[in-house]
Amino acid sequence: MTDFTFSARSYDFTKYVDCLNWIGGEWTPAQSGETIAVLNPRHGKEMGRVAWSDGADVRRAVEAAKAALPAWRATPLKERAQVLYRVKRIMEERLDELSWLLDHENGKTIAQARGEVLKGIECVEYGCSLPNIAQGEQLDVSRGINCAVTHEPVGVCAGIVPFNFPTMVPLWMLPQALAAGNTFVLKPSEQTPYGAMRLAEIFKEAGLPDGVLNIVNGGKEAVEALCDDPTIAALAFVGSTKVARLVYERGSKSGKKVLALGGAKNHLVVLPDAEPTLTSETVVASSYGCAGQRCMAASVMLAVGDVQHIIERMVRIASEMKLGEDMGAIINPQSVERITRYIDEAEKRGAKVLVDGRGATVEGQPGNWVGPTILDGVTPEMPAGCDEIFGPVLSIIRVDTLDEAIAIENANPYGNAAAVFTTNGGAARYAIERFEAGMCGVNIGVPVPREPFGFGGWNDSKFGNGDMTGYDGFRFWTRPRKVTSRWEVAKDATWMS
Ligand code: NAD
């Protein structure tokens, strides 16, 4: 086991052990021996190295998961859930350590890292509740004839996750998948592999048998091997739309059940009657939480009519944010370049930069930074008005009417989240009923449907059926078995006789 107990509970640079693959309960290097660097985003320095796996490593992990399947699926659900109760307790005890680990590998602030771990724990709690709610159904469908439905595990499952929530996104998948009796192969982001590494150790400590959860680190090659592997029955993906589409198509081709969540361009519509303090604070928090590197981040504000007083408050709040403390780092230098390019381009096309985060630095932390940025006078045709930027940039598009705002939201191909800010219930309802988005908010900047509700967008933000968390997640990782039985000879026959 790796000793992760470290004293660095600060934004200081911390060196980690190398991150290997977790196969059959053992830390194992990639067969090729290849590794790549994991860079701390605040400091830009190598904090450790991660195994770079190929198809052979994926095969070994799948074999380990397959070998562990018969015993795990034969374990009663109530016993499987006990592991999750212990995972919850361990995560709560180590909340501080887990949060610092996330901060170190991802660059987010300690408050946001803590929020991520707590949301991960909430997902584990949902898994703990399954023995009480996943009992299946039965009905006497005719005289002496009973029909029952049970939720059976699908078998060996896999999950592929992005860099921005290294602990929480795996926990969108693992509690339901494991409680349902499946075994699992997880592929973390090569940029932030430590959250998953720590989870593997926590699940082991909580009593999960070896081979039930396996981790294969790597990139494209490992992902393609997971898509193609014929043993894997269900595959969940969370990441950009480009890769989500590829994974959905390639995984489906080999007969798997695939659910792939993609990128986003979330629109927040602000009406003139919106409550100014709540709206300004909420929109700013949505745009700059996790430095805008959230699929639920506010990316476009559709300013309807005269909301200048709200924009001025937002400018004040954003300008006063302390980079490094109120907002964290950007994942890598390429992302800093990409985000800066979007701001430059919008400015060149006539947008006004009300708050400018370009070239921002943090003393003592020579990593990857962009400060909070507000662009005014953006149009839906500008790249900043329609593409996912995935950084701390809020583009304001000015419109005259709510219908115009809704039309712009609807025209964007993504459909993850949309929200409306107003004190008028009728206007809120009108907007919500017309948004082309799977997750909508009223006076909420990050309308994440918390457990027990399912998480998932529409349109180019999701490929496949169902949602990721809550009972929808349980449905994804199971298949219904229908059993029709007769144990007595019915007196009056029906068409079932
Ligand atoms: P990404 O798509 O680059 O990577 C996601 C995973 O796919 C990683 O494990 C990565 O190793 C792998 N991958 C990358 N390129 C690949 C390729 N060409 N072929 C096969 N596999 C590949 O995403 P990211 O940069 O890690 O994360 C940010 C993106 O994730 C954003 O678009 C964000 O909106 C999205 N995201 C979506 C949700 C959601 O719930 N919809 C949640 C979090 C993040």
Coordinates of all heavy atoms in Angstrom, one line a residue, residues 61-144:
A61 N -6.4 -5.9 -16.5 CA -7.3 -5.4 -15.5 C -8.7 -6.0 -15.7 O -9.4 -6.3 -14.7 CB -7.4 -3.9 -15.7
V62 N -9.1 -6.2 -17.0 CA -10.4 -6.8 -17.3 C -10.4 -8.2 -16.8 O -11.4 -8.7 -16.2 CB -10.7 -6.7 -18.8 CG1 -12.0 -7.5 -19.2 CG2 -10.9 -5.2 -19.2
E63 N -9.3 -8.9 -17.0 CA -9.3 -10.3 -16.5 C -9.4 -10.4 -15.0 O -10.1 -11.3 -14.5 CB -7.9 -11.0 -16.9 CG -7.9 -11.4 -18.4 CD -9.0 -12.3 -18.9 OE1 -9.4 -13.2 -18.1 OE2 -9.5 -12.1 -20.0
A64 N -8.8 -9.5 -14.3 CA -8.9 -9.4 -12.8 C -10.3 -9.2 -12.4 O -10.9 -9.8 -11.5 CB -8.0 -8.4 -12.3
A65 N -11.0 -8.2 -13.1 CA -12.4 -7.9 -12.8 C -13.3 -9.1 -13.1 O -14.2 -9.4 -12.4 CB -12.8 -6.7 -13.7
K66 N -13.0 -9.8 -14.2 CA -13.8 -11.0 -14.6 C -13.6 -12.1 -13.5 O -14.6 -12.8 -13.2 CB -13.3 -11.5 -15.9 CG -14.2 -12.5 -16.6 CD -13.7 -12.8 -18.0 CE -14.3 -14.0 -18.5 NZ -13.7 -14.5 -19.8
A67 N -12.4 -12.3 -13.0 CA -12.2 -13.4 -12.1 C -12.9 -13.0 -10.7 O -13.3 -14.0 -10.0 CB -10.6 -13.5 -11.8
A68 N -13.0 -11.8 -10.4 CA -13.6 -11.4 -9.1 C -15.1 -11.4 -9.2 O -15.8 -11.3 -8.1 CB -13.1 -10.0 -8.7
L69 N -15.7 -11.4 -10.4 CA -17.1 -11.2 -10.6 C -18.0 -12.3 -9.9 O -18.9 -11.9 -9.2 CB -17.4 -11.1 -12.1 CG -18.9 -10.8 -12.5 CD1 -19.3 -9.5 -11.9 CD2 -19.1 -10.8 -14.0
P70 N -17.7 -13.6 -10.1 CA -18.7 -14.6 -9.5 C -18.9 -14.4 -8.0 O -20.0 -14.5 -7.5 CB -18.1 -15.9 -9.9 CG -17.2 -15.6 -11.1 CD -16.7 -14.2 -10.8
A71 N -17.8 -14.3 -7.3 CA -17.9 -14.2 -5.8 C -18.6 -12.9 -5.4 O -19.4 -12.8 -4.5 CB -16.6 -14.3 -5.2
W72 N -18.3 -11.8 -6.1 CA -18.9 -10.5 -5.7 C -20.4 -10.4 -6.0 O -21.1 -10.0 -5.2 CB -18.1 -9.4 -6.4 CG -18.6 -8.0 -6.0 CD1 -19.1 -7.1 -6.9 CD2 -18.5 -7.4 -4.7 NE1 -19.4 -5.9 -6.2 CE2 -19.0 -6.1 -4.8 CE3 -18.0 -7.8 -3.5 CZ2 -19.1 -5.2 -3.8 CZ3 -18.1 -6.9 -2.4 CH2 -18.6 -5.6 -2.5
R73 N -20.7 -10.9 -7.2 CA -22.2 -10.9 -7.5 C -23.0 -11.8 -6.6 O -24.2 -11.6 -6.4 CB -22.4 -11.1 -9.0 CG -22.4 -12.6 -9.4 CD -22.4 -12.8 -10.9 NE -23.4 -12.1 -11.6 CZ -23.4 -11.9 -12.9 NH1 -22.5 -12.5 -13.7 NH2 -24.4 -11.3 -13.5
A74 N -22.3 -12.9 -6.1 CA -23.0 -13.8 -5.2 C -23.1 -13.2 -3.8 O -23.8 -13.8 -2.9 CB -22.3 -15.1 -5.2
T75 N -22.4 -12.2 -3.5 CA -22.5 -11.5 -2.2 C -23.8 -10.7 -2.1 O -24.1 -10.0 -3.0 CB -21.3 -10.5 -2.0 OG1 -20.1 -11.3 -2.2 CG2 -21.2 -9.9 -0.6
P76 N -24.5 -10.9 -1.0 CA -25.8 -10.2 -1.0 C -25.6 -8.7 -1.0 O -24.6 -8.1 -0.5 CB -26.4 -10.6 0.4 CG -25.7 -11.9 0.7 CD -24.3 -11.8 0.1
L77 N -26.6 -8.0 -1.6 CA -26.5 -6.5 -1.7 C -26.3 -5.9 -0.3 O -25.5 -4.9 -0.2 CB -27.8 -6.0 -2.4 CG -28.1 -4.5 -2.4 CD1 -26.9 -3.7 -3.0 CD2 -29.4 -4.2 -3.1
K78 N -26.9 -6.4 0.7 CA -26.8 -5.8 2.0 C -25.3 -5.8 2.5 O -24.8 -4.9 3.1 CB -27.7 -6.5 3.0 CG -29.1 -5.9 3.0 CD -30.0 -6.6 4.0 CE -31.4 -6.2 3.9 NZ -31.7 -4.8 4.4
E79 N -24.6 -6.9 2.1 CA -23.2 -7.0 2.5 C -22.3 -6.1 1.6 O -21.4 -5.5 2.1 CB -22.7 -8.5 2.4 CG -23.1 -9.3 3.6 CD -22.7 -10.8 3.4 OE1 -21.6 -11.0 2.9 OE2 -23.5 -11.6 3.7
R80 N -22.7 -6.1 0.3 CA -21.9 -5.2 -0.6 C -22.0 -3.8 -0.1 O -21.0 -3.0 -0.1 CB -22.4 -5.3 -2.0 CG -22.1 -6.7 -2.6 CD -22.3 -6.7 -4.1 NE -23.7 -6.4 -4.5 CZ -24.6 -7.3 -5.1 NH1 -24.2 -8.6 -5.2 NH2 -25.8 -6.9 -5.4
A81 N -23.2 -3.4 0.4 CA -23.3 -2.0 0.8 C -22.5 -1.7 2.1 O -22.2 -0.5 2.3 CB -24.8 -1.7 1.0
Q82 N -22.2 -2.7 2.9 CA -21.4 -2.5 4.1 C -20.1 -1.9 3.7 O -19.5 -1.1 4.5 CB -21.3 -3.7 4.9 CG -22.6 -4.3 5.5 CD -23.3 -3.2 6.3 OE1 -22.7 -2.5 7.1 NE2 -24.6 -3.1 6.0
V83 N -19.5 -2.3 2.6 CA -18.2 -1.7 2.2 C -18.4 -0.2 1.9 O -17.5 0.6 2.3 CB -17.8 -2.4 0.8 CG1 -16.5 -1.7 0.3 CG2 -17.5 -3.9 1.1
L84 N -19.5 0.2 1.4 CA -19.7 1.6 1.1 C -19.9 2.4 2.4 O -19.4 3.5 2.5 CB -21.0 1.8 0.2 CG -20.8 1.2 -1.2 CD1 -22.1 1.3 -2.0 CD2 -19.7 1.8 -2.0
Y85 N -20.6 1.8 3.4 CA -20.7 2.5 4.7 C -19.3 2.8 5.2 O -19.0 3.8 5.7 CB -21.4 1.6 5.7 CG -23.0 1.7 5.6 CD1 -23.7 0.7 5.0 CD2 -23.6 2.8 6.0 CE1 -25.1 0.8 4.9 CE2 -25.0 2.9 5.9 CZ -25.7 1.9 5.4 OH -27.1 2.0 5.3
R86 N -18.4 1.8 5.1 CA -17.0 2.0 5.6 C -16.3 3.0 4.8 O -15.5 3.8 5.3 CB -16.3 0.6 5.7 CG -16.9 -0.3 6.8 CD -16.0 -1.5 7.0 NE -16.1 -2.5 6.0 CZ -17.0 -3.5 5.9 NH1 -17.9 -3.7 6.8 NH2 -16.9 -4.4 4.9
V87 N -16.5 2.9 3.4 CA -15.8 4.0 2.6 C -16.2 5.4 3.0 O -15.4 6.3 3.2 CB -16.2 3.7 1.1 CG1 -15.8 4.9 0.2 CG2 -15.6 2.5 0.6
K88 N -17.5 5.5 3.3 CA -18.0 6.8 3.7 C -17.3 7.3 5.0 O -16.9 8.4 5.1 CB -19.6 6.7 3.9 CG -20.2 7.9 4.6 CD -21.7 7.8 4.7 CE -22.3 8.5 5.9 NZ -22.2 10.0 5.8
R89 N -17.2 6.4 6.0 CA -16.6 6.7 7.3 C -15.1 7.1 7.0 O -14.7 8.1 7.6 CB -16.7 5.6 8.3 CG -16.1 5.9 9.6 CD -16.2 4.7 10.6 NE -15.7 3.4 10.1 CZ -14.5 3.1 9.9 NH1 -13.5 3.9 10.1 NH2 -14.2 1.9 9.5
I90 N -14.4 6.3 6.3 CA -13.0 6.6 6.0 C -12.8 7.9 5.3 O -12.0 8.8 5.7 CB -12.3 5.5 5.2 CG1 -12.4 4.1 6.0 CG2 -10.9 5.8 4.9 CD1 -12.0 2.9 5.2
M91 N -13.7 8.2 4.3 CA -13.6 9.5 3.6 C -13.9 10.6 4.5 O -13.2 11.7 4.4 CB -14.5 9.5 2.4 CG -14.1 8.6 1.3 SD -15.1 8.7 -0.2 CE -14.6 10.3 -0.8
E92 N -14.8 10.5 5.4 CA -15.1 11.6 6.3 C -13.9 11.8 7.3 O -13.6 13.0 7.5 CB -16.4 11.3 7.1 CG -17.6 11.5 6.3 CD -18.9 10.9 6.9 OE1 -18.8 10.1 7.9 OE2 -20.0 11.2 6.4
E93 N -13.4 10.7 7.8 CA -12.2 10.9 8.7 C -11.0 11.5 8.0 O -10.3 12.3 8.6 CB -11.8 9.5 9.2 CG -12.6 8.9 10.2 CD -12.4 7.4 10.5 OE1 -11.4 6.9 9.9 OE2 -13.1 6.8 11.2
R94 N -10.9 11.3 6.7 CA -9.7 11.8 5.9 C -10.1 13.0 5.0 O -9.4 13.2 4.0 CB -9.1 10.7 5.1 CG -9.0 9.4 5.8 CD -7.6 8.8 5.7 NE -7.6 7.6 6.6 CZ -7.6 6.4 6.2 NH1 -7.5 6.1 4.9 NH2 -7.6 5.4 7.0
L95 N -11.2 13.6 5.3 CA -11.7 14.7 4.5 C -10.6 15.7 4.2 O -10.4 16.2 3.0 CB -12.9 15.4 5.2 CG -13.5 16.6 4.5 CD1 -14.0 16.2 3.1 CD2 -14.7 17.1 5.3
D96 N -9.8 16.1 5.2 CA -8.8 17.1 5.1 C -7.7 16.7 4.1 O -7.3 17.4 3.2 CB -8.2 17.3 6.5 CG -7.5 18.6 6.6 OD1 -7.9 19.6 5.9 OD2 -6.6 18.7 7.4
E97 N -7.2 15.5 4.4 CA -6.1 14.9 3.5 C -6.6 14.8 2.1 O -5.9 15.1 1.1 CB -5.7 13.6 4.1 CG -4.6 12.9 3.3 CD -4.8 11.3 3.3 OE1 -5.1 10.8 4.4 OE2 -4.6 10.7 2.3
L98 N -7.8 14.2 1.9 CA -8.3 14.0 0.5 C -8.5 15.3 -0.2 O -8.3 15.4 -1.4 CB -9.7 13.3 0.6 CG -9.6 11.8 1.0 CD1 -11.0 11.3 1.3 CD2 -8.9 10.9 -0.1
S99 N -8.9 16.3 0.5 CA -9.1 17.7 -0.1 C -7.7 18.3 -0.5 O -7.6 18.8 -1.6 CB -9.8 18.6 0.9 OG -11.0 18.0 1.4
W100 N -6.7 18.2 0.3 CA -5.4 18.7 -0.1 C -4.9 17.9 -1.3 O -4.2 18.5 -2.1 CB -4.4 18.7 1.1 CG -4.7 19.9 2.0 CD1 -5.1 19.9 3.3 CD2 -4.5 21.2 1.6 NE1 -5.2 21.2 3.7 CE2 -4.8 22.0 2.8 CE3 -4.0 21.9 0.5 CZ2 -4.8 23.4 2.7 CZ3 -4.0 23.3 0.5 CH2 -4.3 24.0 1.6
L101 N -5.1 16.6 -1.3 CA -4.6 15.9 -2.4 C -5.2 16.4 -3.7 O -4.5 16.6 -4.7 CB -4.9 14.4 -2.2 CG -4.5 13.4 -3.2 CD1 -4.1 12.1 -2.6 CD2 -5.5 13.1 -4.3
L102 N -6.5 16.7 -3.7 CA -7.2 17.2 -4.9 C -6.6 18.5 -5.3 O -6.4 18.8 -6.4 CB -8.7 17.3 -4.6 CG -9.6 16.2 -4.8 CD1 -11.0 16.6 -4.5 CD2 -9.4 15.6 -6.2
D103 N -6.4 19.4 -4.2 CA -5.9 20.7 -4.5 C -4.5 20.6 -5.2 O -4.2 21.2 -6.2 CB -5.7 21.5 -3.2 CG -4.8 22.7 -3.5 OD1 -5.2 23.6 -4.1 OD2 -3.6 22.5 -3.2
H104 N -3.7 19.6 -4.7 CA -2.3 19.5 -5.3 C -2.3 19.0 -6.7 O -1.6 19.5 -7.5 CB -1.5 18.6 -4.4 CG -1.2 19.1 -3.1 ND1 -0.7 18.4 -2.0 CD2 -1.3 20.4 -2.6 CE1 -0.5 19.2 -1.0 NE2 -0.9 20.4 -1.3
E105 N -3.2 18.1 -7.0 CA -3.1 17.5 -8.4 C -3.9 18.3 -9.4 O -3.6 18.4 -10.6 CB -3.5 16.1 -8.4 CG -4.9 15.7 -8.2 CD -5.2 14.2 -8.5 OE1 -4.4 13.6 -9.3 OE2 -6.2 13.7 -8.0
N106 N -5.0 19.0 -8.9 CA -5.9 19.7 -9.8 C -5.7 21.2 -9.8 O -6.1 21.9 -10.8 CB -7.4 19.3 -9.5 CG -8.4 20.1 -10.3 OD1 -8.7 21.2 -9.9 ND2 -8.8 19.5 -11.4
G107 N -5.3 21.7 -8.7 CA -5.0 23.2 -8.6 C -6.2 23.9 -8.1 O -6.2 25.2 -8.0
K108 N -7.3 23.2 -7.8 CA -8.5 24.0 -7.2 C -8.3 24.5 -5.8 O -7.3 24.0 -5.2 CB -9.8 23.2 -7.4 CG -9.8 21.9 -6.7 CD -11.2 21.1 -6.9 CE -11.4 20.6 -8.3 NZ -12.6 19.8 -8.5
T109 N -9.1 25.4 -5.3 CA -8.8 25.9 -4.0 C -9.2 24.8 -3.0 O -10.0 23.9 -3.3 CB -9.7 27.1 -3.7 OG1 -11.1 26.7 -3.7 CG2 -9.5 28.2 -4.7
I110 N -8.7 24.9 -1.8 CA -9.0 23.9 -0.7 C -10.5 23.9 -0.4 O -11.1 22.8 -0.2 CB -8.2 24.1 0.5 CG1 -8.3 23.0 1.5 CG2 -8.4 25.5 1.2 CD1 -7.9 21.6 1.0
A111 N -11.2 25.0 -0.5 CA -12.7 25.0 -0.2 C -13.4 24.2 -1.3 O -14.3 23.4 -1.1 CB -13.2 26.5 -0.2
Q112 N -12.9 24.4 -2.6 CA -13.6 23.7 -3.7 C -13.2 22.2 -3.7 O -14.1 21.4 -4.0 CB -13.3 24.4 -5.0 CG -14.2 25.6 -5.2 CD -13.6 26.7 -6.1 OE1 -12.5 26.5 -6.6 NE2 -14.3 27.8 -6.2
A113 N -12.0 21.9 -3.3 CA -11.6 20.5 -3.2 C -12.4 19.8 -2.1 O -12.9 18.7 -2.3 CB -10.1 20.4 -2.8
R114 N -12.7 20.5 -1.0 CA -13.5 20.0 0.1 C -14.9 19.7 -0.4 O -15.5 18.7 -0.1 CB -13.5 21.0 1.2 CG -13.6 20.5 2.6 CD -13.6 21.6 3.6 NE -14.4 21.3 4.7 CZ -14.0 20.6 5.7 NH1 -12.8 20.2 5.8 NH2 -14.9 20.3 6.7
G115 N -15.4 20.7 -1.1 CA -16.8 20.5 -1.7 C -16.8 19.3 -2.6 O -17.8 18.5 -2.6
E116 N -15.8 19.1 -3.4 CA -15.8 17.9 -4.3 C -15.8 16.6 -3.4 O -16.5 15.7 -3.8 CB -14.5 17.9 -5.2 CG -14.4 16.6 -5.9 CD -13.3 16.6 -7.0 OE1 -12.7 17.6 -7.3 OE2 -13.1 15.5 -7.5
V117 N -15.0 16.6 -2.4 CA -14.9 15.3 -1.6 C -16.3 15.1 -0.9 O -16.8 14.0 -0.9 CB -13.8 15.3 -0.6 CG1 -13.8 14.1 0.3 CG2 -12.4 15.6 -1.2
L118 N -16.9 16.2 -0.4 CA -18.2 16.0 0.2 C -19.3 15.5 -0.7 O -20.1 14.7 -0.4 CB -18.6 17.4 0.9 CG -17.8 17.7 2.1 CD1 -18.1 19.2 2.6 CD2 -18.0 16.8 3.3
K119 N -19.2 16.1 -1.9 CA -20.2 15.6 -2.9 C -19.9 14.1 -3.3 O -20.8 13.3 -3.5 CB -20.1 16.5 -4.2 CG -20.9 16.0 -5.4 CD -22.4 15.9 -5.2 CE -23.1 15.2 -6.3 NZ -24.4 14.8 -6.1
G120 N -18.6 13.7 -3.3 CA -18.3 12.3 -3.5 C -18.9 11.4 -2.4 O -19.4 10.4 -2.7
I121 N -18.8 11.9 -1.2 CA -19.3 11.2 0.0 C -20.8 11.0 -0.2 O -21.4 10.0 0.1 CB -18.9 11.9 1.3 CG1 -17.4 11.7 1.5 CG2 -19.7 11.3 2.5 CD1 -16.9 12.5 2.7
E122 N -21.5 12.1 -0.7 CA -22.9 12.0 -0.9 C -23.3 10.9 -1.9 O -24.3 10.2 -1.7 CB -23.4 13.4 -1.4 CG -24.9 13.5 -1.4 CD -25.3 15.0 -1.7 OE1 -25.1 15.8 -0.8 OE2 -25.9 15.2 -2.8
C123 N -22.4 10.8 -2.9 CA -22.7 9.7 -3.9 C -22.5 8.3 -3.2 O -23.3 7.4 -3.5 CB -21.7 9.8 -5.0 SG -22.0 11.3 -6.0
V124 N -21.5 8.2 -2.3 CA -21.4 6.9 -1.6 C -22.6 6.7 -0.7 O -23.1 5.5 -0.6 CB -20.1 7.0 -0.7 CG1 -19.9 5.7 0.1 CG2 -18.8 7.2 -1.6
E125 N -23.1 7.7 -0.1 CA -24.3 7.5 0.8 C -25.5 7.0 -0.1 O -26.2 6.2 0.4 CB -24.7 8.9 1.3 CG -23.9 9.3 2.5 CD -24.2 10.8 2.9 OE1 -25.1 11.4 2.3 OE2 -23.4 11.3 3.7
Y126 N -25.6 7.5 -1.3 CA -26.6 6.9 -2.2 C -26.5 5.4 -2.3 O -27.4 4.7 -2.2 CB -26.7 7.6 -3.5 CG -27.9 7.2 -4.3 CD1 -29.2 7.7 -3.9 CD2 -27.8 6.2 -5.2 CE1 -30.3 7.2 -4.5 CE2 -29.0 5.7 -5.8 CZ -30.2 6.2 -5.5 OH -31.4 5.8 -6.1
G127 N -25.2 5.0 -2.6 CA -25.0 3.6 -2.7 C -25.3 2.8 -1.5 O -25.9 1.7 -1.5
C128 N -25.1 3.4 -0.3 CA -25.5 2.8 1.0 C -27.0 2.6 1.1 O -27.4 1.6 1.7 CB -25.0 3.6 2.2 SG -23.3 3.8 2.3
S129 N -27.7 3.4 0.4 CA -29.2 3.3 0.6 C -29.8 2.3 -0.4 O -31.0 1.9 -0.2 CB -29.8 4.7 0.2 OG -29.8 4.9 -1.2
L130 N -29.0 1.7 -1.3 CA -29.6 0.8 -2.3 C -30.3 -0.4 -1.7 O -31.4 -0.8 -2.2 CB -28.6 0.4 -3.3 CG -28.3 1.5 -4.3 CD1 -27.1 1.2 -5.2 CD2 -29.5 1.7 -5.2
P131 N -29.8 -1.0 -0.6 CA -30.5 -2.2 -0.1 C -31.9 -1.9 0.4 O -32.7 -2.7 0.5 CB -29.6 -2.6 1.1 CG -28.3 -2.1 0.9 CD -28.5 -0.8 0.1
N132 N -32.2 -0.6 0.6 CA -33.5 -0.2 1.1 C -34.4 0.2 -0.1 O -35.6 0.3 0.2 CB -33.4 1.0 2.1 CG -32.6 0.5 3.3 OD1 -32.9 -0.5 3.9 ND2 -31.7 1.3 3.7
I133 N -33.9 0.4 -1.3 CA -34.8 0.9 -2.3 C -34.7 0.1 -3.6 O -35.4 0.4 -4.6 CB -34.5 2.4 -2.6 CG1 -33.0 2.6 -3.0 CG2 -34.8 3.3 -1.5 CD1 -32.7 4.0 -3.4
A134 N -33.8 -0.9 -3.7 CA -33.6 -1.6 -4.9 C -34.1 -3.0 -4.9 O -33.5 -4.0 -5.5 CB -32.1 -1.6 -5.3
Q135 N -35.3 -3.2 -4.3 CA -35.8 -4.6 -4.0 C -36.5 -5.2 -5.2 O -36.9 -6.3 -5.1 CB -36.7 -4.6 -2.8 CG -38.0 -3.9 -3.0 CD -37.9 -2.4 -2.6 OE1 -37.0 -1.7 -2.9 NE2 -39.0 -1.9 -2.0
G136 N -36.7 -4.5 -6.3 CA -37.4 -5.1 -7.4 C -38.9 -5.0 -7.2 O -39.4 -4.5 -6.2
E137 N -39.6 -5.6 -8.2 CA -41.1 -5.6 -8.1 C -41.7 -7.0 -8.4 O -41.0 -7.8 -9.0 CB -41.7 -4.6 -9.1 CG -41.2 -3.2 -9.1 CD -40.0 -3.0 -10.1 OE1 -40.1 -3.5 -11.2 OE2 -39.1 -2.3 -9.7
Q138 N -42.9 -7.2 -7.9 CA -43.6 -8.5 -8.2 C -45.1 -8.3 -8.2 O -45.5 -7.4 -7.5 CB -43.1 -9.6 -7.3 CG -43.5 -9.5 -5.9 CD -44.9 -9.9 -5.6 OE1 -45.4 -10.8 -6.3 NE2 -45.5 -9.3 -4.6
L139 N -45.7 -9.1 -9.0 CA -47.2 -8.9 -9.1 C -47.8 -10.3 -9.5 O -47.2 -10.9 -10.4 CB -47.5 -7.8 -10.1 CG -49.0 -7.4 -10.3 CD1 -49.5 -6.6 -9.1 CD2 -49.2 -6.6 -11.6
D140 N -48.9 -10.6 -8.9 CA -49.7 -11.8 -9.5 C -50.4 -11.3 -10.7 O -51.3 -10.5 -10.7 CB -50.7 -12.3 -8.4 CG -50.0 -13.1 -7.3 OD1 -48.8 -13.4 -7.5 OD2 -50.7 -13.3 -6.3
V141 N -49.9 -11.8 -11.9 CA -50.5 -11.3 -13.1 C -51.7 -12.1 -13.7 O -52.3 -11.7 -14.6 CB -49.4 -11.2 -14.2 CG1 -48.3 -10.2 -13.9 CG2 -48.7 -12.6 -14.4
S142 N -51.8 -13.2 -13.0 CA -53.0 -14.0 -13.4 C -53.3 -15.0 -12.2 O -52.5 -15.0 -11.3 CB -52.7 -14.8 -14.7 OG -53.9 -15.5 -15.1
R143 N -54.3 -15.7 -12.2 CA -54.5 -16.6 -11.1 C -53.4 -17.6 -11.0 O -53.1 -18.4 -11.9 CB -55.9 -17.4 -11.3 CG -57.1 -16.5 -11.0 CD -58.4 -17.3 -11.1 NE -59.5 -16.4 -10.7 CZ -60.0 -15.5 -11.6 NH1 -59.5 -15.4 -12.8 NH2 -61.0 -14.7 -11.2
G144 N -52.7 -17.6 -9.8 CA -51.6 -18.6 -9.6 C -50.3 -18.3 -10.4 O -49.4 -19.0 -10.4

